[in-house]
């Protein structure tokens, strides 16, 4: 009855199997019933393999760390359980700390006695479990999220690693939003938006499969609001119902979210490009703009609330520049910038009622694997930063949220980032060959094959820098072209002829596109082409497509052979281009519908025409990452299925009218293929001479190492280091106290 699922299948046992058994014992001590045992051995084994424990048989008032521990110990996949026994040990210590705080008194005296009796038994139980587990922690593993005692009293909080989403294919969670009372969490992944209770063992619940912007909670913690396209939606967590609040007018679809739901039925929400709006619920015609963008701003990111409706906190994306500024808005001061770190990406700012602002930072000149989590003291009365920033987490993932009771949740990056190499795709995955003889690199961000197909240029990156390489197919040799300290991770590499490359840098001066010789004995320095990010170049090397001119979201075509020619700005109807690519004939641009439609379709537009009509390429077949044959108007795209990804092609003809053939299956893509994201758009290409596709192959060496840490961290009572010396550790504040903003 205490055997783990892997043991019942005849597989080898491990320390993770012991943690499963420990979870069974813990459950039985709390519930007075075994989680899986049946009347006979066969049924017991069947329960272990297929059933979930009867969570409702547990006492309802367990400390949160016990819930976290039970959920993690009894996960079927051993790699998803806690990293080691020391992690369990510290969760139990956190539970004991919670039990040491007197429970809230009840009006009913009988209930008081029953509750006090429960707490006595629970306290004894926790002491017993600590004693049991302490014997298993003499040789703690180096794995895990850093759940260690604070031996030097430096003020480090207890970290609880959790896994949001049980399937590795679900992708990393993002867009975290914790309820004000700290009891519930909203997050998103590739499948949609999810609701997770933090005070029960119920699995996460899928709220919607549609693409949404960042959600935010109402004051009663029973509903959320979010943007879904141009629709502002309220979703009741209790009744599982969706209500449309308002349809936004105009052609611009919001591209960033977040907001604040006030007690007076007002909702303040972010639309990104169209600024921050306010709506009074149940009152028609009350939608108005609180804060509009200016000529120096492109949009606002990830709005969160200041206490008691005082104002809003958000990131500002400066025009032709970076997302490097934290700002606030209040009715009295309007917008005020409070922190600027040029050359960095700042996101997900939140306010702690202890008097601190927390945020994520990401370097655009790195492999983008790690986000740092920072905090700095902030005077809410003066609306000023009052001290230097300090580091909370060195290797987080880009998402962050905090409750009124200071329960902090942030994403956690993999312990060992996936390494990568260039690979050829043959008629099957087994025929893949490696241009660099299998050489594995830290990260390959994008690549491009030269016009005569003799070379491939590619970007590699580590935690601190990005490098530009060229590989010669015939000689099977690679050489470093350059490693500018400001080379941008999201840069597209583009060949201009056979000896020059176009790329993008990002630093304190902004986002700039350059051209540079690939000759190692070059005498001329790189030459600046324009502001903005280079996206694609026509095959003849004349027309350069740049994103970010005149503003982010807009695209401009620059004629490189005629520097004095007027730039051609694509119309507003094409403002939603993601991954745009010129066809070899220069007649079409293929792209994925982005900010406007978000419907995973590939489109074509005849950008030389005045109508700018778009034509769907892949009806009834969702697609991403379009790229062209080097010499023909033959378009390829990737179709992602539940169990595998496939590569399709369509022929495009323009005489007498535009004709698109039915999609043809070209190949099944290996599961190790890196398919990037909307911002990494040059990750697959066709080589006509070799009749093969070049792609980036992920090297996953040990899944257990990357999954045992979890993909998120909860700190139940976050405190900055300086407060640990003066404040006692207590339970999170009650819901009533938290909502009034007192502390």
């Amino acid at each position: 009855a205490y055997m783990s699922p892997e043991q019942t299948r005849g597989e080898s046992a491990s320390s993770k199997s012991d943690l499963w058994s420990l979870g069974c014992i813990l459950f039985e001590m709390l519930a007075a019933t075994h989680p899986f045992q049946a009347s006979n051995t066969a049924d017991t084994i069947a329960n272990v393999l297929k059933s979930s424990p009867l969570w409702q048989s547990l006492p309802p008032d367990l400390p949160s760390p016990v819930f976290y521990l039970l959920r993690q110990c009894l996960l079927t996949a051993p790699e998803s359980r806690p990293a080691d026994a020391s992690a369990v040990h510290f969760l139990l210590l956190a539970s004991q700390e919670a039990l040491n705080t007197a429970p809230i008194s009840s009006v009913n005296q009988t209930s008081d006695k029953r509750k006090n009796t429960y707490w006595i038994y629970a306290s004894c139980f926790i002491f017993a479990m600590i004693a049991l587990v302490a014997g298993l922690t003499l040789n703690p593993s180096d794995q895990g999220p850093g759940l260690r005692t604070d031996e030097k009293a430096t003020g480090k909080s207890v970290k609880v690693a959790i896994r949001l989403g049980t399937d590795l294919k679900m992708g990393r969670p993002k867009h975290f939003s914790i309820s004000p009372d700290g009891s519930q969490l909203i997050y998103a992944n590739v499948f949609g938006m999810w609701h997770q209770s933090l005070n029960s063992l119920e699995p996460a619940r899928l709220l919607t499969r549609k693409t949404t912007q960042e959600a935010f909670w109402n004051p009663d913690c029973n509903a959320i609001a979010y943007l879904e396209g141009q629709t502002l939606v309220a979703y009741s967590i209790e009744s599982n119902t969706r209500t449309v609040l308002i349809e936004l007018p105009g052609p611009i679809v919001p591209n960033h979210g977040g907001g604040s739901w006030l007690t007076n039925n007002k909702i303040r929400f972010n639309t990104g490009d169209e600024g921050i709006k306010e709506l009074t619920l149940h009152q028609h015609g009350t939608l108005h703009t609180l804060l509009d963008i200016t000529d120096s701003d492109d949009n606002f990111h990830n709005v969160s609330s200041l206490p008691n409706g005082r104002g809003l906190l958000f990131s500002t994306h400066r025009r032709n520049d970076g997302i490097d500024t934290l700002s606030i808005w209040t009715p009295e001061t309007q917008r005020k910038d409070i922190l600027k770190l040029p050359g960095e990406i700042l996101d997900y700012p939140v306010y702690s009622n202890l008097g601190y602002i927390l945020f994520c930072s990401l370097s655009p000149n790195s492999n983008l694997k790690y986000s740092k989590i920072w905090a700095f003291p902030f005077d809410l009365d003066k609306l000023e930063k009052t001290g230097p920033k300090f580091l909370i987490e060195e290797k987080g993932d880009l998402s962050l949220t905090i409750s009124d009771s200071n329960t902090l949740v942030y994403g956690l990056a993999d312990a060992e980032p996936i390494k990568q190499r260039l690979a050829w795709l043959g008629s099957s995955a087994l025929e893949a060959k490696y241009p660099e003889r299998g050489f594995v690199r830290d990260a390959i961000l994008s690549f491009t094959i030269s016009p005569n197909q003799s070379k491939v240029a590619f970007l590699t990156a580590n935690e601190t820098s990005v490098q530009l390489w060229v590989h010669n197919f015939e000689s099977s040799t690679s050489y470093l072209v350059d490693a500018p300290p400001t080379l941008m991770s999201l840069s597209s590499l583009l060949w201009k002829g056979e000896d020059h490359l176009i790329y993008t840098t990002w630093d304190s001066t902004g986002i700039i596109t350059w051209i540079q010789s690939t000759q190692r004995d070059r005498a001329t320095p790189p030459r600046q082409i324009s502001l903005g990010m280079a996206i694609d170049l026509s095959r003849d090397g004349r027309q350069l497509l740049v994103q970010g001119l005149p503003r982010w979201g807009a695209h401009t075509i620059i004629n490189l052979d005629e520097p004095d020619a007027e730039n051609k700005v694509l119309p507003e109807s094409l403002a939603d281009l993601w991954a745009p690519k010129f066809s070899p004939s220069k007649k079409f641009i293929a792209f994925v519908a982005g900010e406007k439609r978000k419907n995973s379709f590939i489109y074509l537009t005849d950008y030389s025409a005045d109508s700018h009509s778009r034509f769907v390429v892949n009806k009834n077949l969702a697609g991403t990452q379009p790229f062209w044959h080097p010499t023909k108007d033959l378009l390829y795209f990737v179709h992602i299925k539940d169990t595998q990804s496939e590569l399709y092609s369509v022929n495009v003809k323009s005489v007498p009218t535009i004709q698109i053939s039915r999609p043809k299956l070209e190949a099944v893509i290996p599961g190790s293929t890196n398919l990037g994201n909307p911002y990494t758009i040059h990750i697959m290409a066709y080589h006509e001479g070799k009749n093969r596709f070049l792609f980036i192959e992920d090297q996953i060496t040990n899944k257990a190492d990357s999954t045992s840490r979890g993909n998120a961290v909860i700190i139940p009572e976050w405190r900055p280091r300086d407060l640990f010396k003066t404040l006692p550790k207590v339970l999170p504040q009650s819901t009533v106290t938290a909502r009034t903003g007192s502390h």
Side-chain angles (χ1 to χ4, degrees):
Y2 301 90
M3 287 173 62
S4 63
E6 60 268 23
Q7 288 175 280
T8 63
R9 291 191 295 263
E11 301 169 4
S12 298
S14 67
S15 60
K16 300 297 185 78
S17 307
D18 293 338
L19 296 183
W20 168 279
S21 303
L22 185 69
C24 292
I25 296 171
L26 197 158
F27 186 100
E28 191 170 5
M29 293 178 73
L30 287 167
T33 182
H34 191 280
F36 300 104
Q37 193 168 31
S39 58
N40 57 71
T41 301
D43 289 345
T44 298
I45 291 176
N47 289 343
V48 168
L49 289 173
K50 298 180 180 180
S51 299
S52 296
L54 295 175
W55 301 119
Q56 60 268 30
S57 62
L58 291 168
D61 298 327
L62 286 176
S64 295
V66 176
F67 281 112
Y68 303 146
L69 176 58
L70 277 171
R71 182 189 294 130
Q72 299 302 106
C73 281
L74 295 179
L75 286 172
T76 301
E79 64 269 15
S80 297
R81 297 173 202 152
D84 50 38
S86 64
V88 176
H89 184 206
F90 289 110
L91 283 170
L92 289 166
L93 288 175
S95 303
Q96 180 61 44
E97 183 178 306
L99 287 167
N100 284 336
T101 303
I104 300 172
S105 60
S106 170
V107 177
N108 185 293
Q109 188 174 5
T110 304
S111 298
D112 261 353
K113 291 180 179 179
R114 186 183 299 114
K115 180 174 284 189
N116 289 336
T117 302
Y118 160 71
W119 284 106
I120 292 172
Y121 281 122
S123 184
C124 294
F125 152 73
I126 294 293
F127 274 125
M129 292 303 295
I130 290 175
L132 172 63
V133 179
L136 303 176
T137 62
L138 298 178
N139 297 297
S141 166
D142 290 334
Q143 300 176 4
L147 302 181
R148 301 291 183 266
T149 53
D150 187 11
E151 297 175 355
K152 298 181 180 180
T154 58
K156 292 182 180 179
S157 304
V158 173
K159 299 179 182 179
V160 181
I162 60 172
R163 172 154 289 279
L164 299 173
T166 57
D167 189 344
L168 293 177
K169 295 180 180 179
M170 297 176 76
R172 304 203 68 81
K174 58 182 180 178
H175 299 344
F176 295 163
S177 179
I178 194 170
S179 59
D181 62 5
S183 67
Q184 304 166 81
L185 182 70
I186 298 294
Y187 66 93
N189 59 20
V190 295
F191 283 101
M193 185 169 64
W194 299 77
H195 168 257
Q196 174 69 67
S197 171
L198 299 179
N199 287 342
S200 75
L201 291 161
E202 295 298 319
R205 178 162 55 102
L206 181 63
L207 303 183
T208 177
R209 292 186 179 273
K210 295 184 178 180
T211 301
T212 66
Q213 306 298 342
E214 293 84 348
F216 51 98
W217 288 85
N218 71 340
D220 294 328
C221 304
N222 59 13
I224 57 173
Y226 58 88
L227 281 164
E228 182 183 291
Q230 290 178 277
T231 305
L232 181 65
V233 173
Y235 194 104
S236 170
I237 300 299
E238 293 180 341
S239 63
N240 199 29
T241 56
R242 173 183 181 276
T243 303
V244 173
L245 299 179
I246 194 170
E247 294 282 351
L248 297 181
I252 306 298
V253 174
N255 57 351
H256 293 287
S260 175
W261 191 326
L262 307 181
T263 55
N264 60 0
N265 279 331
K266 291 184 182 294
I267 288 183
R268 296 166 177 169
F269 62 99
N270 179 38
T271 69
D273 290 346
E274 294 292 287
I276 299 173
K277 311 290 186 182
E278 183 178 83
L279 173 71
T280 302
L281 298 180
H282 318 303
Q283 293 186 23
H284 180 70
T286 58
L287 178 68
H288 67 279
T289 299
L290 290 180
L291 180 63
D292 210 345
I293 60 170
T294 68
D295 291 339
S296 61
D297 305 319
D298 275 340
N299 48 45
F300 306 126
H301 289 219
N302 304 320
V303 168
S304 62
S305 181
L306 294 175
N308 304 318
R310 174 72 187 279
L312 302 171
L313 176 63
F314 51 93
S315 301
T316 296
H317 186 170
R318 295 189 292 136
R319 182 156 300 180
N320 302 131
D321 217 316
I323 315 164
D324 58 9
T325 304
L326 298 185
S327 308
I328 59 171
W329 173 91
T330 69
E332 300 80 20
T333 64
Q334 295 298 295
R335 174 183 153 187
K336 179 180 180 181
D337 296 338
I338 57 174
L339 177 68
K340 184 178 293 184
L341 297 176
E344 292 290 307
I345 299 174
L346 309 185
D347 234 339
Y348 293 98
V350 294
Y351 178 80
S352 162
N353 57 26
L354 298 173
Y356 291 82
I357 286 177
L358 292 76
F359 67 97
C360 301
S361 78
L362 188 66
S363 171
N365 316 121
S366 71
N367 57 14
L368 302 179
K369 300 294 185 182
Y370 300 120
S371 166
K372 293 183 179 180
I373 313 295
W374 300 89
F376 60 84
F378 185 77
D379 189 318
L380 192 60
D381 294 326
K382 298 180 180 179
L383 299 177
E384 293 178 355
K385 178 175 177 287
T386 58
K389 70 181 191 302
F390 55 89
L391 191 64
I392 296 176
E393 175 65 62
E394 180 80 23
K395 295 184 177 182
D397 204 26
L398 194 63
S399 205
L400 170 69
T401 186
I402 195 167
S403 72
D404 290 349
S405 54
N406 291 298
T407 297
L408 174 62
V409 182
Y410 59 83
L412 188 65
D414 288 335
E416 294 295 331
I418 295 171
K419 295 182 180 293
Q420 294 164 329
R421 58 184 170 182
L422 293 174
W424 291 111
L425 175 64
S427 58
S428 73
L430 297 177
E431 295 179 13
K433 303 295 181 183
Y434 304 103
E436 289 197 290
R437 300 175 183 175
F439 185 76
V440 176
R441 298 180 177 273
D442 284 345
I444 300 176
L445 306 173
S446 65
F447 66 83
T448 179
I449 297 176
S450 65
N452 69 5
Q453 303 184 63
S454 64
K455 302 183 289 287
V456 58
F458 55 97
L459 291 178
T460 68
N462 54 34
E463 292 182 38
T464 58
S465 65
V466 182
Q467 303 88 37
L468 171 55
W469 290 79
V470 167
H471 174 79
N472 188 298
F473 291 129
E474 184 176 354
S475 63
S476 296
T477 57
S478 301
Y479 64 90
L480 178 66
V481 175
D482 206 350
T486 60
L487 189 56
M488 180 181 174
S489 304
L490 301 176
S491 176
S492 295
L493 278 181
L494 307 167
W495 285 98
K496 169 69 170 168
E498 294 294 326
D499 298 318
H500 287 79
L501 282 166
I502 294 173
Y503 58 84
T504 303
T505 61
W506 186 345
D507 61 12
S508 58
T509 63
I511 299 174
I512 303 174
T513 288
W514 304 79
I515 186 169
Q516 176 172 322
S517 170
T518 61
Q519 301 302 308
R520 282 176 284 183
D521 58 350
R522 64 187 182 277
T524 57
R527 176 174 61 86
Q528 180 176 331
I529 296 177
S530 73
L531 297 175
M533 182 169 65
I535 297 294
D536 199 38
L537 184 68
S538 61
R539 182 169 174 77
D540 61 8
R542 297 186 63 186
Q543 294 179 307
L544 176 67
L545 188 64
V546 175
Q547 153 79 289
L549 285 180
R551 58 168 294 173
W552 194 257
H555 290 76
T556 295
I557 296 176
I558 299 174
N559 191 324
L560 296 182
D561 289 351
E562 298 180 22
D564 296 331
E566 184 178 355
N567 294 339
K568 179 180 179 180
V569 180
L570 296 186
E572 188 68 37
S573 62
L574 296 179
D576 61 333
L577 271 65
W578 279 8
K581 305 284 178 61
F582 285 112
S583 67
S585 66
K586 295 199 307 180
K587 186 172 180 58
F588 305 109
I589 292 178
F591 61 95
V592 180
E595 305 291 3
K596 269 195 168 185
R597 310 195 181 199
K598 294 183 181 294
N599 55 9
S600 297
F601 282 121
I602 310 294
Y603 290 89
L604 286 178
T605 184
D606 184 349
Y607 69 95
S608 62
D610 294 331
S611 63
H612 304 294
S613 299
R614 61 175 76 200
F615 304 88
V616 179
V617 169
N618 56 330
K619 291 181 180 178
N620 304 317
L621 195 67
T624 186
Q625 297 295 358
F627 62 98
W628 293 91
H629 186 284
T631 61
K632 306 174 185 177
D633 281 356
L634 179 65
L635 180 65
Y636 302 98
F637 65 89
V638 175
H639 170 59
I640 301 175
K641 301 175 67 173
D642 292 338
T643 57
Q644 67 183 27
S645 298
E646 299 169 338
L647 187 64
Y648 283 84
S649 67
V650 293
N651 275 295
V652 181
K653 297 180 181 180
S654 58
V655 179
T657 58
I658 292 180
Q659 302 175 47
I660 303 171
S661 68
R662 296 184 63 181
K664 172 188 174 185
L665 179 63
E666 293 283 349
V668 174
I669 300 175
S672 59
T673 302
N674 182 285
L675 295 177
N677 60 58
Y679 301 103
T680 54
I681 62 175
H682 290 270
I683 58 173
M684 190 171 288
Y686 178 74
H687 193 291
E688 191 171 17
K690 296 180 181 294
N691 191 28
R692 285 194 172 188
F693 296 93
L694 188 64
F695 68 98
I696 300 171
E697 182 183 75
D698 289 339
Q699 305 298 295
I700 305 175
T701 55
N702 191 336
K703 282 188 177 181
D705 289 343
S706 62
T707 58
S708 60
R709 303 174 77 239
N711 52 23
V713 163
I714 292 181
I715 301 179
E717 297 175 60
W718 178 78
R719 293 287 188 275
R721 291 187 296 266
D722 54 343
L723 287 185
F724 263 91
K725 301 174 184 177
T726 57
L727 293 181
K729 292 186 177 181
V730 296
L731 270 175
Q733 298 159 313
S734 70
T735 301
V736 174
T737 303
R739 289 177 193 163
T740 60
S742 61
H743 56 275

